[in-house]
């Protein structure tokens, strides 16, 4: 992600928006694609010890997974307000010392990050203009499981995304979202050495739960 897009992401995801999402999560628990990811991992009885959560938002995945047996997590997020919200929630849950928080762009920071048994990218692909480096570099960090969610490449999703981006442009908001070809994403995942164990689809979203080929 070019630095300009990272800055736009930071500005778009404001403290007020982060607080609203955190309040909803505390009230209702995981929702949407996060819920699908957690259910898929549970169904597979996947028990990774370490997690790298890229584009982690308010930290829903690691909040939940740390309570389900994951030992340690790294939370990486481009929006500072969301990092702060996740830190507050981690403290409230008593997860201090088990989560490392990083603010910034994954592709720029990749050389500073270690690997993890599980790498997750929930609703991150749609916020990133450059698909190939994001997928291939993040997949390299996954020792065993690789999980991601992204929009369906359908006409109505593309139309809605175009409309959202037009509204943002008129408002002077430089943040943009993207609908990348699903077949290209799946090809990159397989090229990186993973097999798809679960593919869950809604009208708008795709969730892929993958395991490194040859892994237990």
């Amino acid at each position: 992600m070019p630095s300009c897009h990272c800055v736009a992401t930071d500005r778009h995801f404001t403290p007020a928006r982060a607080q609203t999402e955190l309040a909803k999560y505390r009230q209702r628990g995981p929702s949407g694609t996060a819920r699908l990811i957690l259910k898929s991992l549970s169904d597979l009885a996947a028990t990774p010890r370490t997690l790298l959560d890229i584009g982690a938002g308010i930290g829903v995945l690691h909040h939940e997974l740390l309570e389900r047996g994951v030992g340690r997590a790294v939370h990486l997020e481009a929006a500072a307000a969301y990092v702060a919200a996740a830190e507050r929630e981690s403290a409230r849950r008593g997860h201090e010392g088990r989560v490392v928080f990083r603010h910034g762009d994954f592709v720029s920071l990749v050389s500073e990050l270690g690997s993890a048994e599980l790498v997750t990218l929930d609703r991150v692909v749609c916020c990133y203009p450059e698909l190939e480096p994001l997928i291939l570099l993040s997949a390299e960090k996954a020792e065993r499981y690789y999980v991601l969610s992204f929009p369906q490449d359908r006409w109505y999703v593309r139309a809605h995304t175009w409309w959202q981006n037009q509204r943002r442009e008129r408002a002077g908001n430089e943040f943009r979202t993207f609908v990348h070809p699903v077949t290209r994403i799946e090809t990159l995942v397989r090229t990186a050495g993973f097999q798809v164990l679960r593919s869950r689809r809604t009208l708008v979203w795709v969730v892929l739960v993958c395991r490194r080929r040859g892994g237990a």
Side-chain angles (χ1 to χ4, degrees):
M1 178 165 42
S3 59
C4 60
H5 189 75
C6 195
V7 170
T9 301
D10 205 354
R11 291 174 178 169
H12 179 72
F13 292 99
T14 63
R17 186 166 181 162
Q19 187 55 43
T20 296
E21 286 194 28
L22 182 58
K24 287 182 179 178
Y25 169 56
R26 287 175 175 175
Q27 181 181 16
R28 305 174 188 174
S31 61
T33 51
R35 184 170 58 198
L36 290 176
I37 288 170
L38 292 165
K39 177 66 164 58
S40 297
L41 291 171
S42 179
D43 289 346
L44 291 168
T47 55
R49 292 169 297 178
T50 54
L51 165 67
L52 171 58
D53 194 2
I54 299 170
I58 61 168
V60 171
L61 291 179
H62 68 74
H63 296 321
E64 297 293 320
L65 290 170
L66 285 172
E67 294 181 355
R68 301 184 187 189
V70 171
R72 295 179 292 105
V74 174
H75 172 117
L76 176 65
E77 169 57 48
Y82 278 58
V83 176
E87 287 181 312
R88 292 195 300 273
E89 183 63 9
S90 288
R92 189 181 76 87
R93 290 170 175 258
H95 292 164
E96 300 101 319
R98 297 175 65 194
V99 187
V100 174
F101 293 92
R102 298 293 305 268
H103 172 231
D105 164 32
F106 166 73
V107 170
S108 297
L109 296 175
V110 65
S111 64
E112 302 175 22
L113 299 168
S115 61
E117 288 189 19
L118 168 63
V119 171
T120 54
L121 299 92
D122 185 20
R123 302 195 185 198
V124 177
V125 172
C126 56
C127 297
Y128 218 94
E130 297 177 3
L131 178 64
E132 188 163 319
L134 176 64
I135 297 294
L136 295 180
L137 291 173
S138 59
E140 283 182 4
K141 297 294 182 180
E143 297 169 358
R144 190 175 182 190
Y145 295 107
Y146 184 63
V147 179
L148 64 166
S149 66
F150 47 87
Q152 293 266 29
D153 186 11
R154 301 282 178 82
W155 70 267
Y156 53 86
V157 178
R158 293 193 298 270
H160 183 67
T161 300
W162 176 86
W163 174 74
Q164 286 182 317
N165 286 336
Q166 289 296 305
R167 287 185 61 200
R168 295 181 186 118
E169 184 176 3
R170 288 194 294 270
N173 181 347
E174 296 181 346
F175 178 72
R176 299 290 183 270
T177 51
F178 308 89
V179 181
H180 298 291
V182 172
T183 54
R184 180 59 179 155
I185 294 171
E186 292 173 337
T187 297
L188 287 170
V189 168
R190 292 186 172 93
T191 298
F194 288 84
Q195 64 181 108
V196 177
L197 300 179
R198 292 285 191 278
S199 177
R200 295 179 177 266
R201 297 171 188 256
T202 69
L203 287 174
V204 176
W205 295 97
V206 179
V207 172
L208 298 182
V209 179
C210 313
R211 184 172 59 200
R212 186 172 289 283
R213 286 194 294 272

